[in-house]
Every structure is written in structure tokens, then in C-alpha cells.
Amino acid sequence: MGNKNTTFTEEELEDYEDLTYLTRREILVAWGKWKGLVGGQGEPDRVTRYPEEDVQKLPELQHNPFRERITRVFSSLKDSRMSFEDFLDLLSVMSSKAPLQLKAHYAFHIFDYNEDQVLDTEDLEVVVERLTGDHALLPEEKSKLVEKLLEDTDLDGGGISEEEFKHLLTKCPDFTHSFRFSV
Amino acid sequence: MASSSHSVNFEDIPLSSFQHRHSGSSEEDFSPSVNLRRAQTDVHLRERRRQDSDKYHSYGGRGCRAQQCTLPSRCGGELLSSHMFHHGRECRPSAWYNTVMAHRRRGQGPNTEEEVVDEIADAMEGDERLMSDNVDGEIMRREALRDLIKPLRVKKEIRRRLTARRSSHRDSLPITRLNGLKYTISMQWYKVKQSSRKIEGTFGTGVGSYFRFLRYLFLLNLAIAILVCGFLLTPQLLVRAHPQQPSGAVATPSTTPATQTLTPAALRVEDEPSSSNLPVFTWSPLNPPANIDSCNDSLTSKEFGGLDWLTGAGWFDTTELYYGTYSSEDVSLAAHQHYSMPKAYFLVIFVLFIIYLVVILHRVVVLYKNNDIDIEHDMSASFVRKVFSSWDFSITERKAADIKHKSIYSELKEILQEYLSEEQEEDWLQRAKGWLVKVVFWTLVLAFLALLGWATYAMLDLDILHNTKSSAGLLLYPLIVTCIILVIPLVFTQVVRVEGYSTPRTRLYVTLVRTILLKLTVLGVLVGTWYTQATSVFATEDPKEPEDLPVLTPTPSDPDSKVETEKKERDECWETSLGQEFYRLLIMDFIIGLVMHLGTFIISLISQRTAREFNIGRYTVHLIYNQTLLWAGLFFCPLTPLIVVIKIVIMFYIQKFILLRCLNPDDSPWRAAQAETVYLVLTLVSLILSFFGYLFILLKGKTSCGCGPFKGYQNYVDFFWDIIDKDQETILTIVSWLFKPGVVAGILIILVILVYCAKSTAEGRAEMIKVLRHQLELELRDRAFLLKLTERVRQGPQTPREPRDLTQRSSFVFSDSKVHPADSSPAVHRFSDYRENQSMGD
């Protein structure tokens, strides 16, 4: 992997290092992974935006119930296609060094299925559905759960806004542990 | 939930869009009023914020976090940066940020990506502090850019522009050969490190927390082992290397000149005579032992047998592994420097305990502060946790993902159950029944433990174990104990399922507590029996109680050997034999652990499908048990830390291998953050218990007069009296000074003041939390209000009635009236509704 450093110039690496929470070698590892993901033949380049199916081959995403949301949120044009830089963004947020608020911001948008900037009943039901996977809850159980959740957390009615969401997560020390990749 | 009024995309509405549309009168009417209101709130906020951060200094970061930017209008509809949130000191947004916000307020929000770049880049350029050419500016720029919540492409573009305009020339050379090599190497190292992270990837954070705990104990024990080696082992080895001279004689080897150049002061700085280039000691036994002759033969070396590794007896008897071998002499160095082994021995063990205590206590407090406090006071958090942070994003395996799904499912089910049962309000009969079952089970378990304790005691008395002098006989009994300790927890795990605890977490903790109790019982009985047996022999010196001999000593069966045995008894060092028992327990535990892991491995090889799960709870308790053995045996076998360190290292690699090869992750809900605290608390308990055990031995215990650093003393306490006698003057002055009324009163007053301060700080913080929560609620209402305003304005031009309402409204915001939940319902409020509500509230 080490001899592929020629793809980056010193300056580019420095750029990436400064702009993300990754270290140099993490960036290089990321490049290796990226090549493994999208470069079937030949050298992939950094600007081309690859379809989400390619990106979702990443082991961490493969079994993640929110994978299509992740690719969508991190795609810079919001079309679920990702370039290498978007991928770096993803890894940066998922690194252990990223602050809670940043993680919370992206988590919020990942959970916000209908993209109305608020986590409402609709979103939460989908989230719960995804979380339980094959073991589906009954519809009335689901709605009961969501109702309770909103009752407990929603201060002003109308769903959980991003600010409320962040506030909730500050009380939840597990979140930073769970919302990261182990790479 | 009628979320229609809120489900507006902030990015799309913001003030800009409608202001463009309704340029003209409505804009002029509207914006000053909004600005007016904002100015007012800002004043209030700023005041409050300043007070808060002054008063609750450590709270600053969080306080600001809760307050900042809750008004979406103030944020321009999106959060640009997480910059100010995670730097406690950087609470105020920086200048460029304000510029951007000002732009947006003026309605010049960006529409395309280029405009975003332009906007932010321009704003940043306008910020003098940010663009300053020194190191600070450089760092600030870096952080500002990194914390920007924007895609990397945008960030890069902004950065490019900034650097271009700062006209700093950075050469874009390709990576040099040297750097390339450096990266290659660091990549290799990274891969090595990554393999250990793989565990967390496959098994989730719960197992990760176990391994973190393991690593923590390893480091702690390593430090302790180094201390022991430095202060006890090295002096002792040096003493050994220079065999004992006749009393009073001074050994002066030929290399004396070299060492005498060392000044005593230099030695004192080092505080240990351990450097290996210092092989010279002059011997002057200040404390000539009373019965040195009778002890000499116990120090003679024995043959090394193959099983000695397991039993720790035989050859090991005379090594530095055990208490008995340590010298009771004062090692005198050079001129007037003495290294008193008894004092060193006592102090080292004591200091080690203090270190353990302080370190673990500190860690418990830190972890508790970080992870538990907030949750305890806020029930809703547990729910949030279960939904929003239940998915472990580090999972990379199909298997693990399935198990995670299942465990989340069962957890959610449980929550539902709880809510349902809350609603149905269990009648008292049922509740009483539940309690009864629990009480009965606890009694049963405790009775069982008592029985087990008695059984252990009875087992010690069994002749069969005493009669066999062979190594196998010695091993039989640690084997039984270890088996008990490994098997019974499995039973507990099953029992607890019947009892009907509501959550799996309680079940886990109950099992954990019981297992710990079991181990403590068995260990306590063991140590207690050994101890009483050993001391009673030497205290009464009554040969009529042959069954009370330490396990090592065979029961005298025929009268001929009686005299011999008696002599042996005297020479026998009960501390050493106790140390051997601990050694055997540790080794046995290790071997059985190995066998079990091997078994797991073989089973998984034979049948691929029946993979067992990695039970974190059991493994953790096992680790704590190890640690308890270490503490209990530390005095008798000072090298236990070393043994445990080696053991932990080997176990780590074996467990990692087994885990990755043939185990499934545990599906019980094991919260990483809290679990670590629980482990440590349990460790702390075992530490404190063994500390009390030592205290008891120290105050009541008889030394075995024939060996060890304290030989020549009857009791351990005598050692203290001796020290006190020697420097009576100083100690008397210290004691008399300590008990002066003035000093006592002073200490008391200081303590009272400290307690008072701590209490009031705690109360203040609780109050603060309330205030902040309240504030948050108000701010959210604030937002809802503004959204309604925009909605209204969008629907049609409005007669300029706002100013009056707005001023009223802002006074409402900071009045202390409680917000009614009914108020905050998202019903279609008209603007006038607010006025009505508010007048009612007033």
C-alpha cells in the first residue's frame, strides 16, 4: 500500500489532513479502501462520483441498517453518489476524534428520513424498523414506542429538531462510542 | 403529531426567500421588529451567559452549548460549524461567523455552492484574527475550516481561496522518497494496531470495554510489578548475592574503591540501592534475630522438581517469590545509609495498596462523572440511548449485525412492556409476590454460599488432603476451588432468569454481584482458615492439634516422627505456605482457563454451528477474581503482580484468538460506558476488603518467628512499637501536636467548610441544570414562534402590528412563568393566540 503515495501530492495530503479529523496514514488507508471499493479495473480518480452500491461494499456499511441514508447524507450533491472526498468526510465524522456535535449533526440527518429537518413520527418509525431488522415489531407497538419517545424527548411538539437532538445526545455518553467506525 | 407547521426546510425558507418576495413595505416593517426583539433577547442571553460562566466555571462549555444557536433564525437555518461547541473556552462565535450570520439576516443567503464558498471565504477574510499571519492564526484557520459542517470539496475550495489571497507560496512537490518510506512504515505499524481493533469491529463496544478494562489492569499491575522489583526484589537479590557474613563483621570486597566514591546523597536521591553497578554492601545486622540458628536450615536450597512450577513449593520455597525468604536485616550502604528490609517490605506493600486505592478511586470518579451522572437524573435519556445510539456503527460482520438487531428488538420490547405495566399499575398482591420471590431467591443463594463456605472449611480438614505430601496432593485442592469458582457462576446465570427481574441489565448486575460474593466467600474462608491454622500453631505451640497444621505440613501419624515434625513446625513459615496457596490458586486458575479455551477451540473445530457466546460478565468477574488474588497474596508472595502481568498478557492473546476464531458476540445489553464503571467499582470493593484483611492481620497477627523480614518479632504490631520506641521523641511531639485542641478544631472546621462548599456547589449545579433546561424550553418556543411568524408573513402581507406584540412577547420569554405543555402543542396557533396565552400566563 505504501508505494501508492504518488497519487497524492504533499500539499493535497496536507489539505486533507487539515480539513478532516484523520491523520495522514488514515487518509492513505482510506485511499486504499476506496480503491478496493470502487476501482474494479484501473486507478480510480478522486473526483469521479461513484454510485452508492460501490460505496456500500465497505464492511462497516454492508450491514448497517442506515447505509443508504449514510451515502445520501454524505454525498455532496445529495444524490447518493460519492466521491473520494465525500468518503473522507464520512470517515472523518466516524473517526473517534470528531466532536460529539459534529457526529450528532450527521446522525440527525441520517435519521431524518423524510428530510424535513425534524425527526417526527414518520422518521422514528422507520428508524425503529431499521434497528430491529428482521424481528419486526407490530405496527401498534411501533407507534406506541414512537409516541412514548416523542413524549419524553420532544420539548416543543412537532418532532425533535436538530438542536433538541444534539441536546439529547450530550446526555448519552454511549453515542460517541457507538457512532464511529473501528478503523 | 401535526408537524406540518414545523416541517419546513430551514435552508429553504429562511428569511431571505420571503424577504425577497415581499420586498417593500413588509420587509421594512418586519425586519426592524425582529431585530429589535433579537437585540433584546441577546442582551438577556449575554447577561445570563456571563453570569453562568462566571459562577459555574466548569460548566461553561455545556452551558453555552445548550444556549447557543437555539434560534434557527440566528443560525441562518443551519449549523455552519461545530467549532464553538467543543471548545469550552471558545464559546463566542468568531468574527467571520458573525459576518456570515449577518449576511443571512440581511437576506443574502447563498443559493449555490459557489455562493456558499464565496460567502464564507469572504467572511473569513474579513476576520482579522483569523487571517493573522502568526501561529495562532494558522491554528485558528485550520480549526475553523475543519469544524465547518460542509462537504470536503467546499472546505477545500474555501481553503484554496484563503491561501491564494494570502499569497503564501506552498510548493506542490510530490512526496519525497524519505517521506514515502516514513508513510510506508507507519502504515505497517498501523495495520498491526488495527488487528486489535478488529475485536471491537466484530463484537461491538461491550467486548471492547472488557478488553479496555483488561488493558487498564495490565498497565496498573505492570507499574506495581516494577515498583516491587525495584524496591524489594533488587535489594534482596543483592543481599543474596553477597552471602551473609558473621554478625558484626563488615564485608569489604575488592571493588570497594569504586563504590565508595558514590556519595550517600546520590543514593538517597535514587531511594533504592538497586542499580546493578553497585554490587557492594556492607553488612551490619542492626537487629540480630533472636533465633537465627533455628532458621538457617529453612533457607537451604531444595532440589528443583518438575511439578514445582505448578505447586510453587519445593525449590520455590527458598526463592524471592515468598515472604519467608526476605531478609530481616538492615542493608547498610557505604557509610551511614541503611536500607532496612523490614521497613522497606512494610512500606512497599503499604504504598502499593495506597497507589492501587488512589488510582482506582480516581478512575471510578472520572468514569462516573463522565458517564453516569447525567443519565441517572434523566430518565428520558435511557430511552433516547436505546433508539439513537443503540446501533453500533463499528459492526462489520453479518453475524454481529444479526445479533445486534435481535438485542435491540428485545430491548425495545422490554421498554414497551415497562410502559404497559406502568399503565396497568400492578396490584400490591402481585408486587408482594414478586418481592417475595426475590427475597426467597436471595436467601437461597446466600444460604448456598454459606454452605459452600462451610464445605470449603470442612474440605480443608479432610485428612486425605493432608496425608499426601506429593505435589499432586497439593494441587488437588486449588483445583477443586478453582472449579467451584468457574462452574457456579454458570448456575447463577440460569437461576437469575427464573427470578423475574424486569430488565436484562438488572439480571446481569445481580449475577455479577452474586458471583463476586461467591468468590469472596470462598477466598475468605480459605484465607481465614489458613490463617487461623497457621497462627494457632505458632501461638499455642500445642502439638495436640495436629489437624490445625498448615496444609503443607503432613499430619504426624506415628509418634516417632513427632519430634521432627515439631521442629519442622517451628521452622515452617506460615506466611510462605500461605503465599504458596495463592500461587497455586493463580496457576491453577490459569491452567484451567487454558484448558477451557482449548476446549472451546476444539468444539468449534468439530462443529461449526454451535458457537458459544462471549459472556463479558463472566470474563470480567474472572479478571476481578485474579486481581483479588493478587491483593490478598501480595503480602505473602510479593511477586504476584509479576505473575499476574504475565498471565494477563498470555490470556489476552489467547482470548483474542479464541474470540475471533470461534465465539459469538454476547447479545445481552452491555453498555460500554457504564459497564466500565461497574467493573471498577467491584474491583475497588475487593481491594478494600483485602485491605481490611491485612489490617486485621497487622493488628492481631503473630509473625512466624523463624523467617521473613519481621523475624524476631512476636506480632506485627511489635514492629511498630519498635519503630516508635526508636524515635520516641519525634513521634511523641507529632502525636501531642496532633491532639492539641486547636489543631483538632482547625481540622474539623476545614473539613466542615469543605463539605459545605461541595454541597453548595452541587446544589448550585442542580439549580443550573434546571435553569438551562428551562431556558432551552423557552428558546424552543421562541423558535416555534418565529416560524409561525414567517409562515404568516409568507401567506400574505400583514398590517404592521408586530412591534407591540413582539415587545410583549420578549418580556414573556424571560418571565419566570412555567411553560405549560399545552402551550407547546403544535396546533395551528395564530399569532394572536400567543398574545392570549401570554396574557393568561401573566
Side-chain angles (χ1 to χ4, degrees), chain A residues 1-2 5 8-11 13-16 18-21 24-26 28-29 59-60 63-66 70 76-77 85 88-89 94 99 101-102 105-106 111 116-117 119-121 124 127-128 130-133 135-137 141 144-145 148-150 152-153 155-158 160-161 163-168 170-175 177-183, chain B residues 1 3 6-10 65 68-70 79 82 85-86 113 142 145-147 149-153 155-156 159 170 172-173 175 179-180 183-184 186-187 190 194 197 200-201 205 212 370-371 374-375 378 380-381 383-385 387-398 401 405-406 408-409 412-413 416 419 423 671-673 773 776-777 780 783 824 826:
Chain A
M1 228 181 263
N5 290 338
F8 299 102
T9 62
E10 186 76 35
E11 190 192 11
L13 261 187
E14 202 169 304
D15 262 353
Y16 288 142
D18 285 354
L19 295 177
T20 61
Y21 292 94
R24 259 166 207 240
R25 70 169 169 242
E26 279 167 337
L28 292 176
V29 170
E60 277 84 5
H63 303 293
N64 195 312
F66 306 109
I70 293 178
S76 48
L77 294 182
E85 290 180 356
L88 272 190
D89 257 340
M94 288 297 184
Q101 292 288 328
L102 187 72
H105 169 86
Y106 282 101
F111 292 143
D116 59 358
Q117 310 301 318
L119 293 184
D120 50 25
T121 327
L124 289 175
V127 168
V128 169
R130 289 300 162 96
L131 277 177
T132 49
H135 316 265
L137 287 167
E141 282 177 329
K144 175 92 189 159
L145 201 69
K148 276 288 173 193
L149 184 68
L150 281 175
D152 277 357
T153 54
L155 296 172
D156 61 346
I160 303 169
S161 70
E163 282 309 312
E164 285 172 293
F165 185 71
K166 286 179 180 172
H167 174 72
L168 286 173
T170 54
K171 291 186 293 184
C172 191
D174 281 322
F175 177 71
H177 281 279
S178 63
F179 197 74
R180 69 167 181 226
F181 289 165
S182 58
V183 284
Chain B
M1 288 280 154
S3 57
H6 293 265
S7 55
V8 199
N9 191 331
F10 300 150
R65 209 184 290 157
Q68 205 107 42
C69 276
T70 32
L79 216 80
S82 63
F85 295 116
H86 66 280
E113 204 170 277
R142 258 189 70 171
L145 279 174
R146 196 175 60 178
D147 296 338
I149 302 185
K150 286 283 169 205
L152 193 59
R153 200 151 46 92
K155 287 190 201 173
K156 242 174 86 181
R159 186 184 156 104
R170 204 187 281 127
S172 57
L173 294 169
I175 296 174
N179 279 346
Y183 294 149
T184 317
S186 75
M187 292 269 284
Y190 187 73
Q194 217 175 356
R197 293 202 191 166
E200 202 157 302
T205 45
R212 266 200 300 280
N370 288 349
N371 299 334
D374 271 355
I375 295 161
D378 207 328
S380 69
F383 203 168
V384 174
R385 213 172 44 211
V387 175
F388 292 132
S389 71
S390 56
W391 187 260
D392 202 331
F393 279 70
S394 58
I395 284 177
T396 56
E397 302 279 319
R398 171 98 234 147
H405 277 310
K406 208 174 122 200
I408 291 174
Y409 171 74
L412 291 180
K413 265 288 215 213
L416 272 176
Y419 278 122
E423 277 168 18
R671 294 280 162 213
R773 276 187 79 81
L776 189 76
E777 259 169 60
L780 286 166
R783 188 199 59 166
S824 54

Side-chain angles (χ1 to χ4, degrees), chain B residues 236-248:
Chain B
Q236 175 64 24
L237 284 179
L238 287 172
V239 168
R240 240 180 195 261
H242 294 265
Q244 202 167 344
Q245 301 285 318
S247 185

Side-chain angles (χ1 to χ4, degrees), chain A residues 47-116:
Chain A
V47 198
T48 320
R49 299 156 50 75
Y50 291 92
E52 58 178 331
E53 294 78 36
D54 284 341
V55 184
Q56 284 170 6
K57 281 186 297 188
L58 185 75
E60 277 84 5
L61 290 182
Q62 226 162 25
H63 303 293
N64 195 312
F66 306 109
R67 53 184 171 276
E68 69 278 5
R69 286 297 304 165
I70 293 178
T71 40
R72 182 161 173 82
V73 167
F74 281 93
S75 145
S76 48
L77 294 182
K78 304 290 173 225
D79 59 354
S80 295
R81 294 172 82 87
M82 281 178 88
S83 66
F84 175 63
E85 290 180 356
D86 296 337
F87 183 64
L88 272 190
D89 257 340
L90 168 67
L91 292 187
S92 164
V93 170
M94 288 297 184
S95 80
S96 50
K97 272 170 283 170
L100 171 70
Q101 292 288 328
L102 187 72
K103 282 172 182 281
H105 169 86
Y106 282 101
F108 177 81
H109 287 285
I110 287 172
F111 292 143
D112 183 18
Y113 269 84
N114 53 15
E115 299 188 349
D116 59 358

Side-chain angles (χ1 to χ4, degrees), chain B residues 630-678:
Chain B
L630 191 164
W631 285 321
L634 190 59
F635 186 78
F636 309 106
C637 176
L639 295 193
T640 36
L642 212 60
I643 301 171
V644 171
V645 163
I646 297 169
K647 203 173 143 180
I648 287 181
V649 170
I650 298 175
M651 274 320 215
F652 170 73
Y653 281 105
I654 292 176
Q655 278 173 2
K656 199 183 113 186
F657 173 74
I658 293 285
L659 194 62
L660 291 176
R661 275 301 293 272
C662 42
L663 284 182
N664 268 340
D666 197 355
D667 67 341
S668 41
W670 193 260
R671 294 280 162 213
Q674 280 179 354
E676 270 183 275
T677 326
V678 176

